[in-house]
């Protein structure tokens, strides 16, 4: 497995002349997690958008993102190999659970049967045996969150961006899902950025914490 | 009963009332078409059932070619329009230009079909504007080349003209459907999984959109299979499409031709029903294919190029629309415009001056019909939607889907029988009869463009207003309507444009006595002075364009005033 | 008792009755009655609207009848005259025997035959009109026999048509003009793609074939009698032989045809073809002046002459405004109206009146009309050939569509 380090270099984001993020640099080693905290509107989501390459053109941004030596700045989002978990699970409603996972699974896994096996194995690991043919709409919130995580990981990302993925889950589920996400990230050696405003998230992530304030 | 109670009663009855008033005549019209198709029309001596009309229809020279032409043009126009609209959405959704797309396509939407067809005819003729602009310096043609464009046996100009109109329409419907799903977030997720923007749109958004635009797509298919004015202006004459054949026979001095005409109209109805069923099959196959494609996991950047090509085609269509409009405008102010001159010899307002008197009457009729149809349709549709919102917790009412029937039934198939009915009641040729056929079409289009915004209204605004002590009426007038004003105005403009562009319903219900800009422009297009056609078609297009302009400008102006 | 309204009507009618002393003497009472009843009526004149000059003329007529007799005209613009016939048939089928929506129709040929044969016309109307006596019934035979159907006064003539070919003299030298059907074929061989004719479903299109039929036939009188199955094949054999050779040489290889003569005129103006045809000998001049054709257009007819026919107006049996329609019909026969109609600045259609029956003042109305280089002299036009029996046209049209349909 390739393990990379995620480099953020001198990132600055402004909107309409207002500085959201000023000269942010960080190095996130494989399996490590950088937690970015702050109130709404502080720019933490804009930071994730910048890293993933989907920042709205209304923002002005400087700085550089790299995975080891691979500079991502000119790459479109789909070529950056950054897995993202959003606040919503965003499972595609027209595809089955298995279909959602197959969408993420690289085409290098060839043959219908082989693809099916990979997906069932992944579901099995996550305690979701026999869920492949289910409609996502029939799943519970916790199950959907796990499928979203599986989908992100099956695409074989080199880093993980977490955009408050635990915020909408209830307490008990949140605890359990947090453990699952960070366990996977560490096991696969994925450098991770977590954006949240929940201190408990930061504690669970275990890495360094960056607090942004509204300026 | 107080006025308010009466209003509540009316509101409660409105869906049923709307359906009965506008569906009964369609059904009666269909019966009035199908019976003569089997030989039954006592007024003309047909008092027993027979298959004779069908025999006559099948024996008509060129019948097979007419049938083929109808199916190929109708289906090609629909498929081309769908592919281009989908390609444009897939290629442009992530680009800044997507935000201005709505403004670009609005004028194309407003153009009446017939005005566009007339303008396009002049553009693409072998002696048309395109050939003039490029001859002889580029083409080497000292005389117009002897090949066919307008009237070509394959009917491709019909397909092109329909695509000019239907691509913007399907684009608008697609944009509307996008508001119903979290498309932006899903696209971000798909891109994070390694898919390019166009492929992400096609694999993730399109399958969800397809079902939502099924009805508009079917309306496009039914319309394209049965369109009369465009096929008359741009299609071949020998044989023409089935719909044109019906209208031609209806206009023949020999009344016995009414029987094969009824048979042809019935056949067209059957073709449309079969085609709509086939469309479901096409859609199902497309869904299955898209599903298999998505789960193969192949990231294909080349999809982006394919979508770009489709978008290029779409933008070319928009440019053609603009050029068609411009050609009409130029002719209306030209002195003379001889072959191979890229521009008219000179410009004059003489044609407009000379036509002013003739234009005034039909222009006033167009305006009166359009405004009356729009206002009545708006009142009925708002009442239906409000009734739906207040009952059963805002669930979309299934029976209201029947309102779309006029869009899925070929116009000739029921207008034919309806005309006989109107004459029997002695109301043919009256303003009321024409207004009523206009409503049959204005209501569904208005409903189609207003239903989604109305249903996605956040009812918490109303509930919080109610909790502040405002009455239901006050909440409707002061809260809900103002919030929904932009879509209401756009929907009204759509209804007005539909009314202003109607040819066949106006012709048949108006019995030739109610002249609108559209009926006159189509009549003139059969060979009158191009400068004169230019004035009529320009004015014909100007009304709906103004309606759209007003619908867009009004809320914007309002917002600007409030900001200060 | 004569009230004020009648007096007004009388004084208004006086110039109209004018110099036709006999008419004034004998019909003072029925005609004034008609004038009185007509006042205030709006006549729905159903007329083909594909020609702007005619549309303008109808508008002008409406202004005149309104001012003189209080009769307004609503021009119901038709794409095809048959629309009005269908309308009357539909009304009859629905049992509307009075108060019908069509008051006056510009009509002739099969439409007239259909309406006359099915009893859909009011009349005889011609004898009622004060100006009826001025109509030429001897030299302009088409005024009394319309496509071999006796008119019997059921329709009122208002304009005369004679087939002429209009050509672009800048591309076709006057000396090379083909003055017979055979010569036309020879010319087309040398100039493929530069000739066409309107769709034969259209009247002008079938007239082109009828003209060729008459020109190619050794015995044109044959066509005054109805066509029979056996007779048709023999009599039209030369026509189809000629046409089979001509068709591939036509514009668009004879696979596509302009819908009507106006569309074909547009083709001439666009430079797509060199010859068009018209039923109005003055059309070339009128169209050139109006900027619809180049100034260099000229007209010709076949050496043996060409087909002529008369346009009529007729009143449906159930017309709601019969009196108004009669007033309009009579106004159309006025020498001043006819002279204006013949004026190439207005309509440019040949008058239907008998020059011998006009007073010197009335004759002068025609003498002072302006000329034009594209205007043929009466002598250049040649003899008027009678329209064949309608059955020939129907059969020719059917046969043509059988031969050309895909």
């Amino acid at each position: 497995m390739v393990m990379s380090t995620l480099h953020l270099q001198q990132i600055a984001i402004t909107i309409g002349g207002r500085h959201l993020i000023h000269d942010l640099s960080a190095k996130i080693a494989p399996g490590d997690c950088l937690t970015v905290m702050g109130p709404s509107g502080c720019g933490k989501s804009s930071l994730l958008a910048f890293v993933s390459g989907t920042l709205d053109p209304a923002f002005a941004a400087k700085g550089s993102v790299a995975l080891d030596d691979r500079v991502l700045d000119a790459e479109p989002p789909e070529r950056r190999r950054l897995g993202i978990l959003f606040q919503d699970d965003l499972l595609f409603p027209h595809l089955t659970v298995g279909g959602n996972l197959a969408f993420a699974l690289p085409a290098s896994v060839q043959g219908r049967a082989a693809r099916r096996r990979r997906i069932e194995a992944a579901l099995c690991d996550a305690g979701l045996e026999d869920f492949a043919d289910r409609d996502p709409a029939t799943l519970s919130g916790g199950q959907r969150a796990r499928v979203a995580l599986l989908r992100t990981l099956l695409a074989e990302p080199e880093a993980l961006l977490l955009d408050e993925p635990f915020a909408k889950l209830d307490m008990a589920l949140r605890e359990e899902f947090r453990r699952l996400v960070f366990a996977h990230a560490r096991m696969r050696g994925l450098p991770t950025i977590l954006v949240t405003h929940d201190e408990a998230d930061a504690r669970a992530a275990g890495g360094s914490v960056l607090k942004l304030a509204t300026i | 009963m107080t006025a308010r109670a009466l209003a509540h009663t009316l509101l409660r009855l409105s869906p049923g009332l709307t359906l009965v008033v506008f569906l009964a005549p369609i059904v009666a019209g269909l019966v009035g078409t199908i019976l003569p198709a089997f030989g039954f029309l006592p007024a003309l001596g047909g008092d027993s059932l027979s298959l004779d009309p069908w025999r006559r229809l099948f024996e008509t020279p060129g019948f097979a070619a007419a049938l083929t032409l109808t199916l190929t043009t109708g289906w090609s126009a629909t498929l081309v329009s769908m592919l281009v609209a989908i390609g444009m959405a897939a290629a442009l959704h992530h680009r800044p230009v997507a935000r201005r797309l709505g403004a670009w396509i609005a004028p194309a939407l407003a153009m009446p079909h017939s005005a566009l067809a007339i303008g396009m005819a002049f553009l693409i003729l072998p002696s048309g504007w395109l050939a003039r602009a490029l001859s002889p310096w580029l083409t080497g043609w000292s005389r117009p080349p002897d090949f066919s464009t307008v009237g070509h046996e394959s009917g491709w100009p019909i397909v092109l003209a329909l695509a000019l109109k239907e691509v913007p329409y399907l684009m608008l419907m697609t944009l509307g459907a996008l508001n119903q799903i979290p498309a932006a977030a899903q696209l971000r997720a798909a891109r994070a999984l390694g898919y390019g923007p166009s492929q992400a749109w096609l694999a993730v958004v399109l399958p969800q959109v397809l079902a939502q635009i099924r009805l508009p797509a079917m309306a496009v298919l039914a319309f394209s299979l049965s369109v009369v004015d465009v096929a008359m202006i741009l299609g071949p004459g020998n044989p023409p499409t089935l719909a044109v054949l019906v209208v031609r026979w209806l206009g023949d001095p020999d009344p016995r031709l009414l029987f094969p005409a009824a048979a042809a109209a019935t056949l067209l109805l059957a073709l449309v029903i079969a085609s709509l069923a086939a469309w479901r099959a096409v859609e199902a196959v497309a869904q299955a294919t898209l599903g298999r494609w998505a789960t193969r996991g192949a990231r294909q950047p080349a999809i982006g190029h394919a979508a770009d090509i489709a978008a290029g085609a779409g933008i070319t269509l928009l440019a053609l629309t603009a050029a068609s409009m411009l050609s009409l405008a130029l002719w209306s102010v030209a002195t003379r415009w001889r072959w191979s001159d890229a521009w008219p010899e000179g410009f004059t307002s003489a044609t407009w001056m000379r036509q002013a008197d003739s234009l005034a009457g039909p222009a006033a009729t167009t305006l009166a019909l359009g405004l009356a149809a729009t206002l009545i349709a708006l009142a009925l549709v708002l009442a239906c939607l409000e009734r739906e919102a207040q009952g059963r917790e805002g669930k979309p009412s299934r029976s209201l889907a029947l309102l779309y029937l006029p869009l899925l039934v070929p116009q000739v198939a029921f207008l034919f029988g309806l005309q006989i009915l109107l004459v029997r009641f002695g109301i043919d040729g009256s303003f009321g009869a024409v207004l009523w056929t206009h409503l049959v079409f204005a209501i569904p289009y208005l409903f189609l463009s207003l239903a989604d915004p109305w249903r996605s209204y956040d009812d918490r605004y109303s509930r919080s207003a109610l909790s502040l002590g405002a009455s239901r009426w006050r909440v409707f007038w002061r809260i809900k309507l103002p919030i929904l004003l932009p879509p209401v105005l756009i929907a009204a403009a759509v209804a007005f444009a539909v009314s202003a562009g109607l040819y066949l319903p106006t012709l048949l219900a108006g019995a030739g006595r109610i002249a609108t800009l559209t009926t006159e422009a189509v009549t003139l297009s059969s060979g009158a002075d191009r400068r004169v056609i230019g004035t009529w078609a320009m004015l014909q297009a100007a009304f709906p364009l103004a309606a759209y302009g007003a619908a867009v400008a009004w809320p914007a102006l309002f917002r600007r005033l409030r900001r200060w | 008792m004569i009230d004020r309204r009648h007096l007004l009507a009388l004084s208004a009618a006086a110039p109209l009755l004018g110099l036709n002393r006999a008419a004034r003497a004998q019909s003072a009472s029925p005609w004034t009655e008609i004038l009185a009843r007509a006042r205030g009526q709006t006549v729905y004149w159903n007329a083909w609207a594909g020609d702007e000059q005619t549309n303008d003329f109808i508008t002008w007529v409406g202004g005149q009848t309104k001012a003189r007799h209080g009769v307004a005209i609503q021009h119901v613009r038709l794409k095809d005259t048959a629309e009005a016939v269908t309308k009357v048939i539909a009304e009859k089928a629905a049992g509307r025997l009075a108060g019908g929506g069509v008051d006056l129709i510009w009509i002739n040929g099969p439409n007239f035959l259909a309406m006359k044969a099915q009893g859909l016309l009011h009349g005889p109307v011609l004898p009622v009109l004060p100006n009826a006596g001025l109509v030429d019934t001897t030299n302009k035979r088409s005024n009394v026999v319309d496509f071999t159907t006796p008119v019997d006064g059921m329709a009122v003539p208002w304009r005369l048509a004679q087939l002429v070919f209009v050509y672009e003299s800048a591309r076709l030298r006057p000396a090379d003009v083909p003055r017979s059907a055979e010569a036309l074929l020879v010319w087309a061989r040398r100039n493929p793609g530069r000739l066409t004719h309107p769709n034969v479903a259209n009247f002008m299109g079938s007239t082109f074939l009828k003209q060729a039929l008459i020109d190619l036939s050794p015995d044109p009188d044959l066509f005054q009698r109805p066509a029979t199955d056996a007779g048709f094949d023999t009599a039209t054999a030369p026509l189809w032989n000629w046409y089979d050779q001509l068709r591939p040489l036509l514009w668009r290889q004879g696979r596509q045809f302009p819908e009507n003569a106006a569309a074909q005129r547009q083709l001439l103006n666009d430079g797509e073809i060199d010859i068009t045809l018209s039923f109005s000998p003055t059309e070339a001049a009128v169209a050139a002046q109006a900027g619809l054709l180049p100034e260099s257009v000229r007209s010709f007819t076949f050496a043996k002459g060409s087909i002529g026919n008369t346009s009529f107006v007729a009143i449906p049996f159930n017309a709601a405004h019969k009196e108004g329609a009669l007033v309009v019909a009579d106004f159309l026969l006025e020498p001043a109206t006819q002279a204006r109609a013949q004026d190439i600045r207005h309509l440019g259609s040949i008058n239907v009146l008998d020059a011998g029956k006009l007073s010197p003042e009335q004759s002068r109305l025609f003498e002072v009309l302006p000329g034009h280089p594209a205007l043929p002299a009466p002598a250049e036009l040649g003899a008027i050939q009678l329209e064949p029996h309608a059955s020939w046209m129907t059969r020719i049209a059917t046969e043509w569509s059988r031969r050309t349909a895909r």
Side-chain angles (χ1 to χ4, degrees):
Chain A
M1 193 182 290
V2 192
M3 291 207 199
S4 316
T5 300
L6 182 61
H7 301 270
L8 308 183
Q9 281 156 6
Q10 294 179 313
I11 294 173
I13 301 176
T14 59
I15 180 160
R18 194 164 66 90
H19 288 268
L20 292 176
I21 290 179
H22 186 66
D23 200 18
L24 171 80
S25 294
K27 193 169 102 177
I28 308 156
D32 277 4
C33 180
L34 169 70
T35 302
V36 182
M37 293 195 67
S40 305
C42 71
K44 57 188 195 296
S45 289
S46 304
L47 175 66
L48 272 200
F50 175 74
V51 173
S52 64
T54 56
L55 190 64
D56 191 288
F59 293 85
K62 282 190 301 201
S64 180
V65 181
L67 274 163
D68 286 347
D69 298 338
R70 190 162 71 90
V71 179
L72 302 183
D73 303 335
E75 298 275 343
E78 61 270 21
R79 296 240 292 272
R80 296 189 176 200
R81 305 189 64 87
L82 300 172
I84 311 180
L85 274 184
F86 300 92
Q87 205 172 63
D88 296 299
D89 55 71
L90 293 174
L91 295 184
F92 306 135
H94 62 292
L95 297 175
T96 59
V97 168
N100 266 281
L101 299 183
F103 184 74
L105 190 64
S108 54
V109 181
Q110 283 178 352
R112 190 176 283 210
R115 292 178 71 79
R116 176 89 189 183
R117 270 199 305 278
R118 273 290 297 271
I119 287 161
E120 299 211 320
L123 282 168
C124 193
D125 285 350
L128 294 167
E129 296 93 340
D130 301 328
F131 271 67
D133 294 323
R134 292 272 292 269
D135 181 336
T138 65
L139 269 57
S140 71
Q143 291 166 336
R144 292 171 66 96
R146 273 182 280 163
V147 175
L149 174 65
L150 288 182
R151 188 174 72 174
T152 301
L153 295 175
L154 276 175
E156 296 173 2
E158 293 177 21
L160 198 56
L161 306 179
L162 305 175
D163 191 358
E164 303 197 51
F166 315 116
K168 282 198 174 169
L169 299 173
D170 62 46
M171 274 305 181
L173 280 175
R174 196 183 294 182
E175 200 70 38
E176 184 193 330
F177 188 53
R178 260 197 305 244
R179 270 202 302 274
L180 186 69
V181 170
F182 291 121
H184 272 285
R186 276 183 214 115
M187 186 175 75
R188 288 159 195 260
L190 296 175
T192 302
I193 302 177
L194 167 67
V195 154
T196 183
H197 52 245
D198 184 344
E199 296 281 356
D201 285 351
R203 281 195 300 276
S208 52
V209 175
L210 179 73
K211 291 203 172 174
L212 296 176
T214 31
I215 305 170
Chain B
M1 200 189 271
T2 65
R4 187 161 294 176
L6 178 70
H8 270 293
T9 311
L10 281 177
L11 187 65
R12 200 156 44 80
L13 293 177
S14 58
L17 195 72
T18 309
L19 284 175
V20 168
V21 169
F22 296 103
L23 286 187
I26 294 173
V27 175
L30 285 175
V31 172
T33 304
I34 294 170
L35 285 180
F38 292 95
F40 191 79
L41 184 60
L44 284 172
D47 39 21
S48 62
L49 295 181
S50 84
L51 290 177
D52 197 54
W54 293 94
R55 202 177 44 73
R56 291 199 56 187
L57 173 64
F58 297 146
E59 283 172 0
T60 303
F63 165 74
L67 187 64
T68 316
L69 180 71
T70 305
L71 284 172
T72 51
T73 54
W75 273 93
S76 312
T78 310
L79 291 173
V80 167
S81 304
M82 277 299 275
L83 289 177
V84 172
I86 288 169
M88 278 183 90
L92 301 181
H93 70 88
H94 62 288
R95 294 181 179 152
V97 68
R99 282 177 209 167
R100 289 197 300 274
L101 213 53
W104 282 16
I105 61 181
L109 276 171
M111 281 282 280
H113 279 86
S114 45
L116 196 59
I118 291 168
M120 203 188 87
F122 176 63
L123 207 59
I124 63 167
L125 276 169
S127 56
W129 195 13
L130 285 177
R132 285 176 199 213
L134 304 178
S135 297
W137 57 275
L138 181 66
T139 60
W141 297 330
S142 58
R143 288 172 175 187
D146 188 14
F147 58 67
S148 180
T149 56
V150 172
H152 190 271
E153 286 167 11
S154 68
W156 69 259
I158 305 179
V159 175
L160 183 61
L162 286 173
L164 292 189
K165 278 294 293 177
E166 306 310 348
V167 166
Y169 174 66
L170 290 171
M171 282 290 303
L172 188 77
M173 291 294 125
T174 305
L175 293 178
L178 285 179
N179 294 331
Q180 312 291 307
I181 54 174
Q186 290 181 352
L187 285 166
R188 265 204 310 279
R191 290 190 76 177
L193 294 171
Y195 288 88
S198 297
Q199 192 181 7
W201 198 91
L202 292 173
V204 171
V205 176
L206 179 61
Q208 303 173 64
V209 165
L210 263 188
Q212 293 201 53
I213 62 165
R214 177 182 304 147
L215 199 65
M218 284 183 160
V220 167
L221 181 59
F223 182 85
S224 302
L225 285 165
S226 59
V227 64
V228 171
D229 47 7
V230 173
M232 219 145 73
I233 295 164
L234 295 170
N238 188 32
T241 61
L242 278 182
V244 175
L245 197 63
V246 172
V247 174
R248 201 184 271 179
W249 277 340
L250 279 180
D252 198 276
D254 183 355
R256 287 167 308 172
L257 284 176
L258 286 182
F259 291 103
T266 306
L267 175 63
L268 192 58
L269 176 66
L271 284 182
V272 167
I273 292 171
S275 292
L276 294 182
W279 182 259
R280 284 303 302 264
V282 168
E283 195 195 304
V285 169
Q287 289 282 24
T289 313
L290 284 171
R292 268 201 307 279
W293 183 53
T295 52
R296 276 212 337 255
R299 277 72 167 172
Q300 297 164 311
I303 294 293
H305 302 305
D308 286 348
I309 291 171
I315 289 162
T316 309
L317 289 180
L318 287 173
L320 272 179
T321 305
S324 300
M325 274 301 292
L326 190 59
S327 80
L328 291 176
L330 281 176
W331 268 110
S332 76
V333 294
T335 49
R336 276 170 196 268
W337 192 352
R338 299 296 311 279
W339 159 252
S340 95
D341 293 344
W343 302 97
E345 234 170 66
F347 297 98
T348 171
S349 60
T351 315
W352 280 99
M353 297 302 200
R354 210 158 45 80
Q355 291 299 310
D357 282 348
S358 314
L359 286 166
T365 309
T366 305
L367 202 59
L369 273 172
L371 288 177
T374 304
L375 289 176
I376 297 174
L378 193 58
L380 285 171
V381 168
L382 285 180
C384 287
L385 285 170
E386 239 346 63
R387 167 73 190 141
E388 179 190 279
Q390 291 179 16
R392 295 195 297 128
E393 281 307 299
K395 274 252 208 60
S397 155
R398 285 197 147 266
S399 62
L400 279 180
L402 283 172
L403 274 182
Y404 297 128
L405 198 62
L407 307 188
L408 302 179
V409 173
Q411 294 184 1
V412 275
F414 73 93
L415 287 169
F416 176 97
L418 200 58
Q419 195 189 12
I420 296 176
L421 215 68
L422 288 174
V423 172
R424 179 136 298 178
F425 290 129
I427 52 170
D428 62 309
S430 66
F431 185 83
V434 177
L435 173 61
W436 177 68
T437 58
H438 279 218
L439 278 172
V440 170
F441 296 97
I443 286 177
Y445 277 107
L446 205 151
F447 195 88
L448 201 54
S449 44
L450 196 52
D452 281 343
W454 202 267
R455 284 169 181 162
S456 54
Y457 168 75
D458 188 344
D459 204 48
R460 286 175 301 182
Y461 292 120
S462 291
R463 271 180 270 151
S464 67
L466 282 170
S467 73
L468 295 173
S471 73
R472 275 198 176 280
W473 280 101
R474 199 171 143 78
V475 169
F476 177 79
W477 287 107
R478 301 299 301 277
I479 307 293
K480 191 166 186 180
L481 201 57
I483 287 177
L484 290 168
L485 190 63
V488 165
L489 289 175
I490 292 286
V494 168
F496 182 85
V498 165
S499 162
L502 283 177
Y503 172 66
L504 198 62
T506 317
L507 183 74
L508 293 185
R513 269 178 288 160
I514 304 284
T516 64
L517 292 170
T518 295
T519 61
E520 300 304 275
V522 175
T523 300
L524 288 168
S525 72
S526 69
D529 184 351
R530 273 216 195 95
R531 298 166 300 184
V532 173
I533 300 175
T535 60
W536 285 84
M538 272 300 288
L539 198 60
Q540 186 201 358
F543 276 124
L545 278 174
Y548 270 91
V552 173
W554 189 356
L557 192 71
F558 201 72
R559 267 199 307 277
R560 189 160 305 169
L561 288 177
R562 201 168 46 181
R563 195 172 293 164
W564 289 101
Chain C
M1 187 188 142
I2 296 175
D3 64 19
R4 196 177 129 74
R5 210 183 52 184
H6 276 91
L7 276 172
L8 276 172
L10 256 179
S11 60
L16 182 114
L17 303 178
L19 297 138
N20 196 328
R21 194 173 306 224
R24 180 160 53 177
Q26 67 165 8
S27 67
S29 89
W31 184 248
T32 45
E33 183 75 10
I34 287 168
L35 283 174
R37 305 243 307 255
R39 186 158 289 274
Q41 291 186 344
T42 295
V43 173
Y44 284 87
W45 185 355
N46 287 240
W48 178 72
D51 175 60
E52 274 312 305
Q53 256 88 24
T54 306
N55 296 346
D56 291 348
F57 189 76
I58 290 174
T59 307
W60 174 80
V61 171
Q64 294 294 308
T65 54
K66 176 84 182 163
R68 292 203 210 170
H69 308 296
V71 176
I73 290 176
Q74 174 71 47
H75 180 186
V76 180
R77 291 163 171 255
L78 303 183
K79 195 172 153 62
D80 190 319
T81 303
E83 290 166 20
V85 183
T86 313
K87 172 91 176 75
V88 177
I89 290 171
E91 286 180 351
K92 190 181 184 191
R96 192 191 288 177
L97 303 181
V102 182
D103 294 319
L104 195 67
I105 309 182
W106 171 10
I107 198 168
N108 70 0
N111 290 313
F112 173 67
L113 175 66
M115 292 197 80
K116 184 170 181 256
Q118 296 184 49
L120 296 172
L121 290 179
H122 169 66
V125 287
L126 186 64
V128 180
L129 307 181
N131 284 318
L134 300 176
V135 173
D136 186 337
T137 54
T138 49
N139 295 317
K140 299 171 181 171
R141 289 286 299 158
S142 55
N143 285 347
V144 283
V145 180
D146 181 53
F147 294 78
T148 72
T149 303
V151 178
D152 296 332
M154 298 302 286
V156 179
W158 71 288
R159 58 196 290 191
L160 192 68
Q162 185 182 356
L163 186 71
V164 293
F165 294 94
V166 176
Y167 67 101
E168 162 64 291
S169 66
R171 292 195 293 265
L172 168 55
R173 286 188 305 148
D176 298 338
V177 159
R179 294 194 43 124
S180 70
E182 281 301 338
L184 199 60
L185 177 59
V186 173
W187 182 84
R189 282 207 184 95
R190 283 203 299 267
N191 301 277
R194 306 297 299 172
L195 174 73
T196 187
H197 62 79
N199 190 321
V200 174
N202 178 276
F203 175 67
M204 286 302 289
S206 61
T207 299
F208 175 79
L209 291 184
K210 284 184 290 180
Q211 182 64 71
L213 176 69
I214 291 173
D215 202 64
L216 292 164
S217 170
D219 178 20
D221 286 346
L222 181 70
F223 309 121
Q224 289 302 301
R225 295 185 294 278
T228 60
D229 285 338
F232 180 78
D233 290 344
T234 331
T236 57
L239 172 69
W240 300 121
N241 176 39
W242 172 83
Y243 190 70
D244 288 345
Q245 297 175 65
L246 181 69
R247 192 173 153 219
L249 305 170
L250 295 178
W251 176 79
R252 307 283 187 264
Q253 298 81 50
R255 293 161 69 83
Q256 193 182 336
F257 299 90
E259 276 310 301
N260 51 43
Q264 188 172 342
R265 182 180 66 191
Q266 186 69 58
L267 291 178
L268 181 67
N269 195 36
D270 287 342
E272 295 213 14
I273 54 171
D274 291 337
I275 299 178
T276 186
L277 65 176
S278 168
F279 244 123
S280 168
T282 57
E283 171 162 333
V286 172
Q289 267 192 345
L292 287 168
L293 285 177
E295 285 289 341
S296 46
V297 290
R298 300 289 180 268
S299 309
F300 72 93
T301 59
F302 284 168
K304 289 189 210 167
S306 66
I307 294 178
N309 70 57
T310 300
S311 282
F312 299 87
V313 285
I315 303 173
F317 75 103
N318 64 347
H321 311 111
K322 291 197 181 79
E323 297 81 10
L326 284 168
V327 168
V328 172
D330 191 62
F331 176 79
L332 291 174
L333 287 177
E334 283 277 304
T337 311
Q338 287 284 314
R340 184 180 169 100
Q342 191 167 321
D343 189 333
I344 57 167
R345 290 168 303 182
H346 299 300
L347 198 50
S349 76
I350 300 181
N351 73 81
V352 296
L353 305 181
D354 186 339
K357 293 178 183 168
L358 298 179
S359 71
E361 302 88 82
Q362 288 171 336
S363 300
R364 198 148 46 245
L365 290 170
F366 293 90
E367 285 154 16
V368 298
L369 292 177
H372 190 274
L375 200 61
E380 287 177 313
L381 285 174
I384 288 192
Q385 296 169 328
L386 274 182
E387 287 279 2
H389 187 268
S391 58
W392 291 94
M393 177 164 118
T394 320
R395 281 172 184 256
I396 285 175
T398 311
E399 176 64 14
W400 179 83
S401 65
R402 194 186 66 73
R403 283 166 177 264
T404 53
R406 283 180 291 136

